[in-house]
Amino acid sequence: MGSDEKDVLKVIDKYATVFNAMVQDIFARAGKESGQTAPNPFNFERLQNLLADETKVDMSKLVNQQFDYIQKQSELWQQASKALMGEKPETATNGTNQNKDKRFKHADWENNPVFHYIKESYLLNAEMLTNMVDAVEFTDKKKHQQAQFFTRQYVNSLSPTNYILTNPEVCDEIMATNGQSLVKGMQAYLEDLEHSPLEALKMRQSDASAFTIGGNLANTPGKVVFRNDIIELLHYTPTTKTTHQTPILITPPFINKYYVMDLEPKKSLVKGLLDSGYQVFMISWVNPEKDSADTDFFDYMREGPITAIEVVKEITNKKQVNLTGFCVGGTLSAITAAYLRGKGDKSIKSLTLLTTLLDFQEPGEVGNYFSEEMLPMIEQNAEIKGVFDGRIIAMSFSLLRENNLFWSFFIENYLKGKDPAPFDILYWNSDSTNIPAACFKQYLRMTYWENALIEPGKVEVDGIKIDLSNIDMPTYFLSSVADHIVLWQAAYEGTKLVSGKPRFVLAGSGHIAGVINPIDGGKYPHWINDELPETAEDWQKGAQEQVGSWWKDWHAWLKPHSGTRVKPIVPGEHEFYPALEDAPGQYVKRILD
């Protein structure tokens, strides 16, 4: 062994303990040391409580699993012994096709007997633990799902790829950089800690220096034409000689910033609408601080879409708007539509709901964060701070796809010392937004916890009982087939709650990429079915795949609800709503730190 290699090993010895402690630090920050007041997939005590709560074990299944485990362990030891004698290791003792697992793509996981044994032993034990939980019979389906979720988080957190000395890619990088990758990774970790709240690690997922709000993102020309304490209203400059009369008002989710719908021009949903001849207005939510603690969900409705609708009507001199909502903004838009119709107000001509839940019976894996024990602690966290920190939400959503959106970046950024590549959607994903405590608590209780919107009149606003069947205008539902935040089958249930004629369209890809799929150069297909059978599965059986973006279908659906073409309205020239400043305005530029 040369002197250079010895020096590298000294660096490894110095930093290995520190880096391994980083994994445990993540657990601690999200767990006991923070009082467990935030959504916490690393809450392994919660897993223990679930397994001890009103369960029984299928002993026959468990015994068979244990015999199978012992047999596979014996086979693994035999393989390891042969490998040490120079024979090539066999693959996948536990029957897992590791070639599909991106974590183990390095050749040493197959060719090096030590790494091969580490991998196979891990996969075997992961399979054993997962099977043990499956052998437990729960009286509560939701608790079973939570146990599976926390088990998966635990198993994936212990992957050998997440530790410095058991990942061959990391070892290669150390040798190639003479140990400097470790130093750089530690610096990156400490920098990220400085920008993180106690309860979560704000891990960089994109090169932040590559993007500027109002520069190469959110740069569609327009004006801020209205501002209150909760929103700025953006009016975009038309790009066609004539525009449809009825304007479009977009309500983005208030748990994120609006510009995911206005990334660079080629995939800007806003510009796509403008180029199709629509007048477009966008709500930009404030990034609130603790002085907004008492602002609740219905304040967001009153000061958000309801106020914006009135402003848009005055600017365009039209009596109606086509309202579009995305995710939480879609839920808010639907409640707004039901509320206005309950008052006899016909201001909304059509409603578009993008990846939106109205019926929260099947909330997907997001629902695993909420239980009788965890919900009060989550609410307490918001009460103490006055807001629920958006960085906690960002980490929680990333951990729904932990290997792709969390541990992969942990390895690349910290263990290998690599800089993340520029990626606009991941930059947006990391640009978090707070939620006022009152709004956050009210929203969680009303939707994920009580599923109150499916019961007419259970929710009441200013004396108006919210009944989603009051939504009698045409409604366009867009879901994404691989959406892990809003399951498309659950979103389909919303079509049964409205009384207007609904159209349901299924896009390819996931929660964001499925929506942001432009007409020119869009990667993903979509599926249409003019019929709306009782179940989502039956809808899918009758659906026809269409090549390309769903935007074209949506624009065609909007057209008959948008009136004849007229001369465009220039943003900022209205007597009572002059331009306050250029888009994207001030609210979107506030960064959490």
Side-chain angles (χ1 to χ4, degrees):
M1 182 180 292
S3 59
D4 289 343
E5 289 179 328
K6 290 180 179 179
D7 290 339
V8 170
L9 289 176
K10 289 180 181 179
V11 175
I12 293 174
D13 183 63
K14 178 180 178 181
Y15 282 100
T17 303
V18 178
F19 271 100
N20 289 344
M22 287 160 52
V23 179
Q24 301 306 318
D25 181 60
I26 293 173
F27 299 161
R29 290 170 64 80
K32 283 185 175 180
E33 293 182 7
S34 65
Q36 296 181 349
T37 58
N40 175 18
F42 302 126
N43 188 342
F44 303 135
E45 289 185 5
R46 171 62 181 157
L47 174 58
Q48 293 172 337
N49 292 338
L50 284 167
L51 294 175
D53 184 28
E54 297 182 26
T55 61
K56 63 179 181 178
V57 177
D58 185 334
M59 292 304 300
S60 175
K61 182 183 290 187
L62 183 62
V63 169
N64 288 334
Q65 290 173 356
Q66 291 301 307
F67 276 121
D68 184 55
Y69 173 73
I70 293 171
Q71 180 182 351
K72 289 179 178 178
Q73 279 283 17
S74 176
E75 293 173 357
L76 179 58
W77 274 109
Q78 292 175 24
Q79 287 185 22
S81 299
K82 291 178 182 178
L84 290 174
M85 299 300 291
E87 294 185 24
K88 181 178 174 60
E90 297 180 20
T91 61
T93 299
N94 66 341
T96 302
N97 185 352
Q98 73 282 352
N99 292 326
K100 294 181 180 179
D101 193 330
K102 295 179 181 178
R103 295 176 296 177
F104 303 109
K105 63 181 183 293
H106 192 282
D108 278 356
W109 290 117
E110 286 304 306
N111 299 329
N112 184 298
V114 175
F115 284 118
H116 180 268
Y117 176 79
I118 291 171
K119 178 202 69 175
E120 290 294 313
S121 180
Y122 163 73
L123 291 174
L124 181 55
N125 283 282
E127 180 187 58
M128 181 270 293
L129 185 56
T130 301
N131 287 341
M132 284 182 63
V133 173
D134 289 340
V136 178
E137 297 178 358
F138 290 78
T139 56
D140 186 332
K141 177 184 175 182
K142 182 177 180 181
K143 290 183 178 180
H144 189 194
Q145 292 172 341
Q146 288 180 323
Q148 291 174 319
F149 175 74
F150 288 124
T151 300
R152 193 188 81 208
Q153 295 293 336
Y154 179 68
V155 165
N156 287 332
S157 73
L158 296 178
S159 170
T161 54
N162 300 338
Y163 296 85
I164 188 170
L165 294 179
T166 54
N167 187 330
E169 290 186 45
V170 174
C171 294
D172 286 351
E173 194 67 33
I174 292 170
M175 298 299 292
T177 64
N178 202 33
Q180 290 304 302
S181 59
L182 292 173
V183 177
K184 187 176 179 181
M186 178 58 70
Q187 290 173 339
Y189 179 69
L190 293 176
E191 289 171 6
D192 285 354
L193 281 182
E194 290 180 6
H195 299 281
S196 301
L198 177 64
E199 304 89 342
L201 175 63
K202 179 176 167 49
M203 190 186 307
R204 65 191 73 184
Q205 296 178 318
S206 174
D207 179 5
S209 66
F211 300 104
T212 304
I213 306 303
N216 54 355
L217 296 178
N219 62 1
T220 298
K223 303 292 183 183
V224 178
V225 294
F226 175 81
R227 178 186 293 124
N228 61 25
D229 291 339
I230 294 180
I231 69 165
E232 289 181 327
L233 182 63
L234 311 181
H235 183 189
Y236 291 100
T237 302
T239 61
T240 54
K241 293 182 179 179
T242 61
T243 60
H244 293 283
Q245 290 186 40
T246 305
I248 294 173
L249 171 63
I250 302 176
T251 305
F254 52 76
I255 64 172
N256 298 108
K257 294 183 178 179
Y258 82 85
Y259 66 85
V260 71
M261 290 179 281
D262 187 29
L263 298 170
E264 54 94 6
K266 289 182 179 179
K267 52 186 178 184
S268 169
L269 182 144
V270 169
K271 191 173 187 304
L273 286 168
L274 292 170
D275 290 346
S276 289
Y278 292 96
Q279 300 182 73
V280 184
F281 292 80
M282 175 78 75
I283 288 173
S284 175
W285 300 104
V286 72
N287 201 345
E289 298 181 347
K290 61 183 179 181
D291 57 0
S292 300
D294 295 331
T295 302
D296 66 19
F297 183 88
F298 299 128
D299 291 326
Y300 266 67
M301 185 183 79
R302 297 184 195 97
E303 301 301 317
I306 290 179
T307 295
I309 286 169
E310 292 305 310
V311 174
V312 171
K313 285 163 55 181
E314 291 185 46
I315 290 175
T316 60
N317 196 29
K318 299 301 174 187
K319 295 181 178 180
Q320 292 183 303
V321 305
N322 290 317
L323 184 62
T324 294
F326 189 177
C327 190
V328 178
T331 306
L332 180 61
S333 295
I335 296 173
T336 299
Y339 171 81
L340 291 178
R341 284 297 202 259
K343 292 177 62 177
D345 187 319
K346 300 287 187 179
S347 293
I348 299 176
K349 191 170 186 180
S350 76
L351 179 65
T352 296
L353 303 177
L354 308 177
T355 61
T356 295
L357 281 180
L358 300 181
D359 183 340
F360 286 76
Q361 181 65 31
E362 295 293 340
E365 290 196 330
V366 175
N368 290 317
Y369 291 129
F370 310 124
S371 66
E372 292 180 358
E373 298 87 0
M374 294 171 69
L375 186 61
M377 290 188 278
I378 294 170
E379 292 177 328
Q380 183 186 37
N381 178 279
E383 289 172 357
I384 292 171
K385 292 186 174 183
V387 295
F388 195 76
D389 196 308
R391 292 166 293 184
I392 302 174
I393 297 174
M395 177 175 167
S396 300
F397 281 143
S398 291
L399 285 166
L400 297 179
R401 290 294 179 268
E402 64 279 2
N403 287 334
N404 291 332
L405 295 177
F406 187 83
W407 291 115
S408 62
F409 289 101
F410 179 89
I411 295 164
E412 291 294 313
N413 297 356
Y414 305 148
L415 302 190
K416 295 170 68 176
K418 299 287 189 179
D419 293 322
F423 189 4
D424 51 7
I425 290 179
L426 288 179
Y427 174 84
W428 164 85
N429 188 58
S430 298
D431 190 5
S432 303
T433 305
N434 288 335
I435 308 175
C439 177
F440 181 72
K441 291 163 56 182
Q442 191 176 40
Y443 172 71
L444 283 189
R445 290 279 177 181
M446 178 175 61
T447 55
Y448 287 99
W449 193 246
E450 298 178 0
N451 196 18
L453 295 177
I454 65 172
E455 299 182 36
K458 186 171 183 178
V459 176
E460 186 173 318
V461 186
D462 300 334
I464 303 297
K465 295 184 181 299
I466 301 301
D467 183 349
L468 295 183
S469 68
N470 285 336
I471 301 176
D472 58 0
M473 70 287 294
T475 305
Y476 189 102
F477 290 83
L478 185 280
S479 291
S480 299
V481 67
D483 192 339
H484 63 287
I485 296 173
V486 176
L487 302 181
W488 77 266
Q489 296 91 338
Y492 183 83
E493 294 300 306
T495 63
K496 304 173 186 178
L497 299 175
V498 301
S499 60
K501 184 178 180 181
R503 178 172 180 77
F504 187 86
V505 175
L506 185 62
S509 194
H511 189 68
I512 300 299
V515 176
I516 310 305
N517 188 37
I519 293 174
D520 295 329
K523 298 179 181 178
Y524 309 110
H526 63 283
W527 292 264
I528 61 174
N529 183 352
D530 293 334
E531 302 297 323
L532 289 173
E534 181 64 21
T535 68
E537 290 71 21
D538 286 340
W539 181 92
Q540 188 176 35
K541 289 176 183 177
Q544 299 295 316
E545 181 175 343
Q546 308 294 312
V547 176
S549 172
W550 65 274
W551 288 12
K552 195 171 183 179
D553 180 83
W554 181 41
H555 294 180
W557 179 87
L558 281 168
K559 187 175 181 179
H561 308 306
S562 301
T564 57
R565 305 280 290 236
V566 296
K567 183 179 179 181
I569 295 172
V570 179
E573 293 191 353
H574 191 277
E575 178 183 3
F576 301 114
Y577 298 101
L580 303 179
E581 61 180 283
D582 289 338
Q586 301 174 14
Y587 287 174
V588 73
K589 294 181 180 179
R590 180 172 181 267
I591 306 297
L592 296 187
D593 191 350

